[in-house]
Amino acid sequence: MDLIIWRHAEAEPGEPDEARALTTKGHKQASKTAGWLDRHLPGNCRILVSPAVRTVQTAEALGRKFKTHPALAHHATAQGILAAVNWPDARETVLVVGHQPTLGHVISLLITGQEQEWMLRKGSVCWIAQKVTESGAVNYLKAVIGAELAGK
């Protein structure tokens, strides 16, 4: 299984937290990263998005169908996200658009086996894949890219 983790782009400050919209810079970040993703995502990729405005706006930059999922909201847990995407048993690639610090927890858990305070910058993507070998399953980083390197 491949799991792609995309942190929402830069958002305006304010309350309520779930209603915060992307800034002009955030829209540019989302567009750049979406361009990179569009060139690399398989056609059968399932896209799950936190219901927060900023994550929905980030996902909309990709121009593909997606579903919002309450298990990806700002208060999500790493285990909740992994359950929502059916890791590692999903047959298709899954793209998650969500929030820090939980996304960092998911990445560190899958790579090291422990939840740690790893930072994923706004608008950035981390692509994790799993390979099953004779000695067991191995998770590895397939790609990590920041919005500033994703496109023009």
Side-chain angles (χ1 to χ4, degrees):
M1 173 183 179
D2 283 14
L3 175 60
I4 304 159
I5 297 170
W6 186 9
R7 183 179 178 191
H8 68 78
E10 182 182 272
E12 298 284 349
E15 294 293 330
D17 184 62
E18 295 78 21
R20 295 172 44 219
L22 294 183
T23 63
T24 300
K25 178 181 178 180
H27 282 286
K28 289 177 186 175
Q29 288 173 332
S31 178
K32 287 179 182 184
T33 305
W36 185 88
L37 284 167
D38 194 48
R39 292 188 301 274
H40 295 89
L41 287 178
N44 67 340
C45 182
R46 185 167 50 117
I47 303 170
L48 300 176
V49 180
S50 160
V53 170
R54 60 192 178 276
T55 52
V56 169
Q57 288 178 325
T58 298
E60 287 173 342
L62 188 56
R64 295 190 186 195
K65 291 182 181 180
F66 63 86
K67 291 184 181 179
T68 59
H69 197 299
L72 307 180
H74 190 265
H75 60 275
T77 65
Q79 291 298 334
I81 289 176
L82 293 176
V85 303
N86 195 26
W87 177 272
D89 299 320
R91 293 182 182 254
E92 69 280 335
T93 297
V94 179
L95 169 63
V96 166
V97 184
H99 308 273
Q100 271 299 112
T102 310
L103 295 180
H105 296 168
V106 171
I107 296 165
S108 66
L109 180 61
L110 292 179
I111 299 302
T112 72
Q114 298 178 31
E115 281 190 44
Q116 300 175 28
E117 296 297 321
W118 285 16
M119 171 63 95
L120 186 63
R121 292 185 60 183
K122 292 176 184 169
S124 297
V125 168
C126 181
W127 192 321
I128 299 170
Q130 184 177 80
K131 182 177 183 176
V132 179
T133 66
E134 290 180 13
S135 59
V138 177
N139 299 337
Y140 64 94
L141 292 172
K142 195 168 183 178
V144 180
I145 188 160
E148 63 276 6
L149 297 176
K152 298 177 186 177

